[in-house]
């Protein structure tokens, strides 16, 4: 059966730090080695850390370049955090979608609001931990931080979570494998949606309907 | 983690005869022996055939009862086919949804239009065969029918398929296991949708947001 080229789907995946988002995305990509799913590589003006590769971990840009691209409307969303810019390049996302890839944007609620304006058909997923206790455990594991630093991180996580209801789907990550399966169902169900399937199977439908 | 009771989701699954719908639904239910998915049992005025059980294969009603229920607005959808009534009882569906079951309505495009009016949040899936040749093979397998009978069935299938674009999802059933997986993704993704998850995890969310 011949299939026509079809645009991929765009997904926002947001979560407070400690919800398990990165591990879930990584596991989902590993489960689909056909590379039909990709995480969009963000652009930033912060300096590369040891081991970070241009175009893989980030698109590293100078502040001047970044600001020019903001003015040219080349970002789906961008933000300035501690003096550094971070953003999602529209061109990078659109070229992946044109290849038929499902693209994941790993961004926060503010970025999500900006992307929805440009791309209303985006589907968005919010991931939360099952309790504050578990969130705190996960935030502590990352190092020997003071109670004050942990309290700040908890407050930041709660601020992020207060926007959970703006998202299309909610995952409560109490069981990694269940959450992974749910995330996969969301992505793969979207591929069966009518407008995409109509393009993908246009020749089949033409034959069937005579 | 405590979970709150939540309504199930309602799905319409439609297809021309020969697309493989019944086998797909049966396989999906068998894959979920927890009975979290159920096919709604239709009501009809036609006589039970040998082996058909009241309340299992159909709710068998007299014509008088059926017409009273139509007048009382007790059907999500109904139709008269060759002098017999067929319909979907609103009460039967709603009590399954209230138990948290995902309910499948195995109905045609006309029934689907009626259900969408009553229940706008219904998700609808249309299944087609991969080609007319395969559709004809599948329709022929069912018995030693004349070419004329087959031609009539093909025309009826094409009339049904002409409404495919009214549905939310499209499955092209060229590979049974792929189609089964896709149908499962659609149903299980819907369970992660925000309004339902908000109810299901209301106590978790309350704790997280403090």
């Amino acid at each position: 059966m011949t299939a026509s080229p079809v645009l991929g789907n765009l997904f926002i995946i947001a979560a407070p730090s400690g919800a398990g988002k990165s591990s879930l995305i990584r596991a989902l990509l590993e489960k689909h080695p056909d590379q039909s799913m990709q995480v969009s590589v963000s652009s930033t003006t912060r300096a590369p850390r040891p081991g970070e590769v241009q175009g893989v971990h980030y698109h590293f840009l100078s502040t001047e370049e970044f600001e020019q691209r903001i003015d040219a409307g080349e970002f789906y969303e961008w933000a300035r955090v501690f003096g550094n810019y971070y953003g999602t390049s529209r061109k990078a996302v659109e070229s992946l979608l044109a290849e038929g890839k499902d693209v994941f944007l790993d961004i926060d609620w503010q970025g999500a609001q900006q992307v929805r304006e440009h791309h209303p058909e985006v589907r968005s997923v919010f991931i939360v931990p099952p309790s504050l206790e578990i969130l705190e455990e996960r935030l502590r594991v990352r190092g020997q931080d003071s109670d004050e630093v942990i309290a700040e991180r908890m407050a930041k996580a709660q601020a992020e979570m207060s926007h959970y209801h703006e998202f299309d789907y909610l995952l409560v990550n109490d069981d990694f494998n269940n959450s992974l399966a749910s995330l996969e169902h969301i992505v793969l169900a979207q591929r069966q949606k009518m407008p995409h399937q109509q393009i993908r199977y246009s020749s089949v439908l033409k034959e069937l309907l005579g």
Side-chain angles (χ1 to χ4, degrees), chain A:
Chain A
M1 182 164 36
T2 53
S4 303
V6 66
L7 287 183
N9 293 300
L10 185 61
F11 296 90
I12 291 165
I13 307 185
S17 181
K21 173 171 73 166
S22 303
S23 310
L24 283 169
I25 294 177
R26 200 179 316 118
L28 184 57
L29 298 190
E30 279 168 13
K31 212 174 157 188
H32 291 268
D34 62 356
Q35 301 195 305
S36 60
M37 301 176 191
Q38 306 253 324
V39 180
S40 167
V41 176
S42 298
S43 302
T44 186
T45 57
R46 82 151 166 73
R49 290 176 190 149
E52 284 186 344
V53 178
Q54 172 74 286
V56 174
H57 298 92
Y58 281 97
H59 300 294
F60 295 102
L61 300 177
S62 70
T63 302
E64 199 191 341
E65 279 177 300
F66 202 107
E67 290 177 345
Q68 279 171 358
R69 293 192 188 186
I70 292 174
D71 294 341
E74 287 185 19
F75 290 108
Y76 264 147
E77 57 85 34
W78 63 271
R80 192 163 183 167
V81 183
F82 298 126
N84 289 311
Y85 286 113
Y86 294 83
T88 303
S89 153
R90 174 199 294 267
K91 217 184 284 178
V93 169
E94 285 177 355
S95 80
L96 285 171
L97 293 174
E99 289 172 32
K101 310 284 191 195
D102 292 326
V103 180
F104 302 149
L105 304 181
D106 181 351
I107 56 180
D108 69 4
W109 68 271
Q110 282 167 306
Q113 287 188 347
Q114 293 179 55
V115 171
R116 283 187 201 102
E117 274 172 37
H118 292 292
H119 201 105
E121 67 273 37
V122 68
R123 302 282 80 193
S124 61
V125 182
F126 200 83
I127 304 170
V128 295
S131 71
L132 287 178
E133 193 184 339
I134 288 172
L135 179 65
E136 194 175 327
E137 269 171 37
R138 290 181 188 166
L139 291 176
R140 275 193 192 280
V141 161
R142 303 189 169 193
Q144 280 80 34
D145 298 301
S146 69
D147 284 352
E148 202 187 331
V149 168
I150 297 295
E152 262 172 43
R153 286 191 194 149
M154 291 292 284
K156 202 171 159 246
Q158 285 192 298
E160 179 74 23
M161 287 194 290
S162 71
H163 291 270
Y164 84 91
H165 53 85
E166 298 169 15
F167 290 73
D168 298 310
Y169 296 93
L170 178 71
L171 300 185
V172 177
N173 188 14
D174 57 336
D175 178 287
F176 186 83
N177 287 325
N178 279 348
S179 298
L180 177 59
S182 296
L183 189 58
E184 187 178 31
H185 293 316
I186 291 166
V187 175
L188 296 183
Q190 198 64 16
R191 292 190 187 168
Q192 320 305 324
K193 273 292 191 75
M194 188 54 77
H196 279 214
Q197 291 286 71
Q198 229 167 345
I199 298 168
R200 184 176 284 124
Y201 291 110
S202 57
S203 57
V204 171
L205 290 164
K206 208 172 156 188
E207 196 255 348
L208 285 175
L209 298 172

